[in-house]
Amino acid sequence: MDRLLPTPEAHDLLDLTRELATRELAGKVDDYEARGEFPREVLRTIGRSGLLGLPYDESVGGAGQPYEIYLQVLEILAGTWLGIAEAVSVHTLSCFPVAAFGSERQRKALPEMLGGELLGAYCLSEPQGGSDAANLTTRAVPDGEDWLVNGTKAWITHGGSADFYNIFCRTGGPGAKGISCLLADANTPGLLPQARERLMGLRSSAPAQIVLDNARIPHDRIVGEEGQGFAIAMKALDAGRLGIAACAVGLAQAALSYAVSYAREREQFGQPIGRFQGVGFMLADMATQVSAARALLLSAARLKDAGRPFSTEAAKAKLFATDAAMRVTTDAVQVLGGYGYVADHPVERWFREAKVLQIVEGTNQIQRMVIARSLTG
Ligand SMILES: Cc1cc2nc3c(=O)[nH]c(=O)nc-3n(C[C@H](O)[C@H](O)[C@H](O)COP(=O)(O)OP(=O)(O)OC[C@H]3O[C@@H](n4cnc5c(N)ncnc54)[C@H](O)[C@@H]3O)c2cc1C
């Protein structure tokens, strides 16, 4: 496909990503997904290639790339291995609190974070509620030089593999204003990762609960001000949702390309099935969904790059792109007929993976709430 990119450097970066996806990811994805193993070493390789800190400032170890370019890198990775693209997206999100609100001391770790030596996790959801995050119950109380933290965080991507955890917890009264963000090292006493969840798809990047049992986090590991945690979490999610939308576009593009190739080759009634209007129109609708999703994604990203408000546009992009990925991967299975339903073809995996994108980083019902609120106040 023809991409309008702002610089020759951006072209080089996308070429590098394609090359890395072919060399490092394509041959490994099926094996890791089948075993449900987290590919920590692959992420290190991606970090060494400079792809883990793309949108962050060069002064702290990032690559200083526009968000628009970072998202297209994610799109390419997702088309080969969603688990890796999602891991890059969650890690990028996990670096945001320190990069944007961290103290001088906390920011010293940024080069290692953005280079991928230290992997991050973002701990907002809890077992009793993901959507209503402002009512979270994990509590931190001051105790000598530390915060003493108790509670359970649920669905934590990189849980058990991460080196640092952003723990959103209650340090004050009820509601959003009572929440703070604490930065915990993986070896924090009382921070206890549980067994990883058994997922429908995305098995290489399965999340785990994190139990905090009298976890001791030094007092100066608070990120930003006391009571600022929820605002930090939401700001991180605004940008993170664009990452999930980019993953969705990559998945949908991969499914479309695969279905088109198949429809050109597979013959029934003496001709390629793509020549039947019933199949050709399905492919046309899939292609239109992918292009529309990418256009919405890039338009939101360009607002962010220009320093303009982009939160509602990010919600629209996440909503549309992930619904499009679900539709397109479903239709790709249909185009392949019975072969679409067996694991010999990747459309079966993409179909299972698309579903999770409608749920993570705010379900699509929550995205509609955000968009509706922007319309009605
Ligand atoms: C693979 C995976 C990885 C994840 N990674 C992370 C992570 O790294 N960090 C993290 O913090 N969380 C993570 N999550 C959690 C994820 O963000 C939540 O699952 C999601 O926000 C939904 O929360 P919930 O599962 O508690 O569902 P609920 O909030 O219980 O929602 C259940 C249903 O009710 C609907 N609903 C809820 N409220 C409303 C409303 N007001 N109006 C209309 N409908 C509503 C929802 O849309 C959904 O359909 C992950 C989840 C998965 C599956």
Side-chain angles (χ1 to χ4, degrees):
M1 57 157 299
D2 196 14
R3 290 178 194 268
L4 287 175
L5 296 172
T7 59
E9 191 191 359
H11 277 282
D12 293 346
L13 192 53
L14 297 202
D15 284 345
L16 168 83
T17 309
R18 279 186 206 98
E19 200 250 317
L20 184 131
T22 308
R23 196 186 61 230
E24 298 288 341
L25 308 187
K28 295 184 179 144
V29 52
D30 285 340
D31 182 39
Y32 275 89
E33 286 299 322
R35 287 187 290 118
E37 185 183 327
F38 182 67
R40 183 68 183 94
E41 266 318 303
V42 180
L43 271 177
R44 279 210 177 84
T45 306
I46 289 184
R48 282 185 213 114
S49 314
L51 298 183
L52 271 184
L54 284 177
Y56 291 102
D57 214 71
E58 284 165 298
S59 63
V60 289
Q65 286 296 312
Y67 223 71
E68 172 193 351
I69 305 305
Y70 156 64
L71 293 173
Q72 292 182 76
V73 166
L74 272 189
E75 186 194 321
I76 292 168
L77 295 176
T80 305
W81 189 347
L82 181 69
I84 286 289
E86 202 246 2
V88 172
S89 179
V90 169
H91 177 73
T92 305
L93 167 86
S94 303
C95 293
F96 175 84
V98 170
F101 296 92
S103 66
E104 203 60 26
R105 190 153 169 221
Q106 290 162 2
R107 287 165 61 81
K108 287 212 168 92
L110 275 172
E112 272 190 292
M113 291 174 169
L114 299 175
E117 286 310 313
L118 297 180
L119 185 69
Y122 172 93
C123 310
L124 182 63
S125 303
E126 298 187 345
Q128 78 287 352
S131 301
D132 190 11
N135 275 321
L136 61 80
T137 59
T138 296
R139 182 160 275 288
V141 291
D143 188 64
E145 301 286 292
D146 302 323
W147 294 97
L148 202 59
V149 190
N150 281 288
T152 301
K153 291 293 171 184
W155 308 109
I156 303 310
T157 300
H158 304 158
S161 304
D163 301 289
F164 65 95
Y165 292 81
N166 294 279
I167 312 271
F168 296 95
C169 52
R170 195 161 296 288
T171 52
K177 297 228 161 77
I179 295 171
S180 298
C181 175
L182 303 182
L183 182 67
D185 289 336
N187 61 7
T188 300
L191 188 154
L192 309 170
Q194 305 297 297
R196 297 169 79 208
E197 304 290 349
R198 295 183 319 130
L199 300 186
M200 179 192 295
L202 201 69
R203 291 178 184 144
S204 62
S205 187
Q209 284 195 353
I210 302 295
V211 170
L212 297 146
D213 180 13
N214 284 326
R216 285 200 166 270
I217 304 176
H219 207 264
D220 66 356
R221 300 303 296 273
I222 189 164
V223 181
E225 305 289 326
E226 211 174 314
Q228 203 184 5
F230 193 73
I232 295 174
M234 292 302 113
K235 253 185 177 301
L237 277 185
D238 277 345
R241 280 168 184 160
L242 289 175
I244 299 302
C247 289
V249 172
L251 206 59
Q253 176 68 63
L256 168 66
S257 303
Y258 202 90
V260 167
S261 299
Y262 189 86
R264 286 173 164 211
E265 295 290 323
R266 174 74 170 175
E267 293 198 355
Q268 290 294 293
F269 301 95
Q271 57 175 313
I273 57 168
R275 296 237 186 100
F276 299 120
Q277 195 181 62
V279 175
F281 276 17
M282 211 188 309
L283 294 173
D285 285 345
M286 290 159 73
T288 307
Q289 290 280 315
V290 174
S291 296
R294 185 179 288 115
L296 201 51
L297 170 68
L298 292 180
S299 138
R302 284 168 190 154
L303 283 176
K304 174 169 165 45
D305 285 331
R308 307 263 286 276
F310 70 97
S311 177
T312 310
E313 297 311 300
K316 288 180 193 167
K318 197 273 178 180
L319 167 64
F320 189 88
T322 58
D323 280 357
M326 195 69 251
R327 267 198 300 275
V328 169
T329 53
T330 303
D331 285 347
V333 171
Q334 193 68 18
V335 168
L336 267 73
Y339 292 107
Y341 204 66
V342 293
D344 299 351
H345 293 274
V347 292
E348 170 270 343
R349 169 166 65 81
W350 294 331
F351 168 78
R352 287 185 285 107
E353 290 175 341
K355 187 64 216 169
V356 80
L357 299 175
Q358 294 178 303
I359 296 169
V360 294
E361 299 202 18
T363 66
N364 283 5
Q365 285 75 28
I366 296 303
Q367 307 307 323
R368 287 185 174 91
M369 262 173 57
V370 171
I371 299 161
R373 253 189 224 143
S374 79
L375 298 170
T376 60

